[in-house]
Amino acid sequence: ETGVTQTPRHLVMGMTNKKSLKCEQHLGHNAMYWYKQSAKKPLELMFVYNFKEQTENNSVPSRFSPECPNSSHLFLHLHTLQPEDSALYLCASSQDERVMEEQYFGPGTRLTVT
Amino acid sequence: AQSVAQPEDQVNVAEGNPLTVKCTYSVSGNPYLFWYVQYPNRGLQFLLKYITGDNLVKGSYGFEAEFNKSQTSFHLKKPSALVSDSALYFCAVRDSKDNYGQNFVFGPGTRLSVLP
């Protein structure tokens, strides 16, 4: 699709489970992002990485833990989630973090917390 | 802080007719404006952006958008709608006063339905 892949596409987990979401971009970009998309709510930026360094954490609960081992890969580690965390989690990348750069999104992981 | 509004939750248009999806914004500096489209079970797809220069910006799939500074608007347009254009459309804004990626603000989205 857009050069940004996400796995898994669907995930159902209990509140006591630990799971990870994976994102990979094949575009040679240097910035990567995690967003949360919930029904009836605007897209929420969660984390930003620029050249593997985290530059933004928008007051996200500690049960969400990002990891960026290199500029092409981004993970979101999940543990002890709540039902209200059920949402579509989108990964995106851009050339870098400058404000005029557009972002390219992956297809998302549909997360359901039971 | 910047903000963006999409005043219509839903826009219905007949196939072959022109379509407009509205977006207004508020920034303290100069705006950088973006349109994205989201098809069912897919991520957001970049359509076009305005950074500077010509107020009429052309993008993918025959879409264009007009930047109007006095009305603080950036409406998305297409001369002839297709059924396949039916999707969720997001306007987004960044402020030229921000150097980096925080404060990338998306609108709530407008659902476009093109009727055959």
Side-chain angles (χ1 to χ4, degrees):
Chain A
E1 291 182 356
T2 62
V4 180
T5 58
Q6 290 186 244
T7 54
R9 293 293 306 274
H10 300 271
L11 178 62
V12 179
M13 61 186 288
M15 289 190 286
T16 58
N17 289 159
K18 290 185 180 181
K19 296 286 185 183
S20 296
L21 309 185
K22 178 183 176 182
C23 174
E24 183 174 1
Q25 59 94 1
H26 311 273
L27 300 170
H29 289 166
N30 295 304
M32 297 188 76
Y33 311 80
W34 278 117
Y35 285 89
K36 177 183 180 182
Q37 187 177 29
S38 305
K40 308 292 185 184
K41 293 178 71 175
L43 207 60
E44 301 173 52
L45 178 64
M46 299 175 71
F47 301 104
V48 181
Y49 279 83
N50 195 37
F51 292 92
K52 302 187 297 179
E53 298 296 321
Q54 185 175 314
T55 57
E56 186 71 16
N57 175 343
N58 275 356
S59 303
V60 179
S62 60
R63 58 186 183 269
F64 295 91
S65 174
E67 178 190 1
C68 188
N70 55 61
S71 293
S72 298
H73 293 86
L74 185 64
F75 295 89
L76 188 63
H77 303 300
L78 315 171
H79 63 98
T80 59
L81 294 190
Q82 304 299 311
E84 61 264 30
D85 296 323
S86 298
L88 183 67
Y89 288 84
L90 293 166
C91 174
S93 70
S94 61
Q95 185 59 51
D96 53 44
E97 216 185 341
R98 289 176 300 164
V99 290
M100 71 284 292
E101 296 293 335
E102 66 272 20
Q103 295 178 0
Y104 292 85
F105 286 79
T109 295
R110 174 71 61 187
L111 174 66
T112 303
V113 181
T114 60
Chain B
Q2 62 262 46
S3 65
V4 60
Q6 294 180 243
E8 299 157 318
D9 291 337
Q10 173 90 34
V11 170
N12 296 321
V13 64
E15 187 176 28
N17 282 3
L19 69 87
T20 299
V21 183
K22 296 180 180 178
C23 172
T24 59
Y25 66 89
S26 174
V27 294
S28 55
N30 291 317
Y32 297 146
L33 294 153
F34 304 77
W35 275 103
Y36 288 85
V37 60
Q38 186 176 29
Y39 297 100
N41 301 313
R42 305 274 287 274
L44 277 68
Q45 202 171 317
F46 170 70
L47 280 178
L48 51 80
K49 67 180 178 182
Y50 172 82
I51 303 300
T52 187
D54 194 345
N55 289 344
L56 185 64
V57 179
K58 294 187 183 297
S60 306
Y61 312 119
F63 284 95
E64 58 188 29
E66 186 167 11
F67 171 63
N68 187 316
K69 188 173 183 177
S70 63
Q71 296 185 5
T72 61
S73 67
F74 189 57
H75 300 333
L76 182 70
K77 300 180 180 183
K78 187 173 182 180
S80 178
L82 300 172
V83 172
S84 57
D85 293 329
S86 299
L88 191 56
Y89 289 80
F90 293 94
C91 182
V93 66
R94 279 172 154 170
D95 192 331
S96 64
K97 288 191 172 183
D98 292 329
N99 287 326
Y100 298 105
Q102 64 270 30
N103 299 323
F104 197 134
V105 176
F106 284 85
T110 297
R111 186 162 301 281
L112 173 68
S113 292
V114 181
L115 309 173

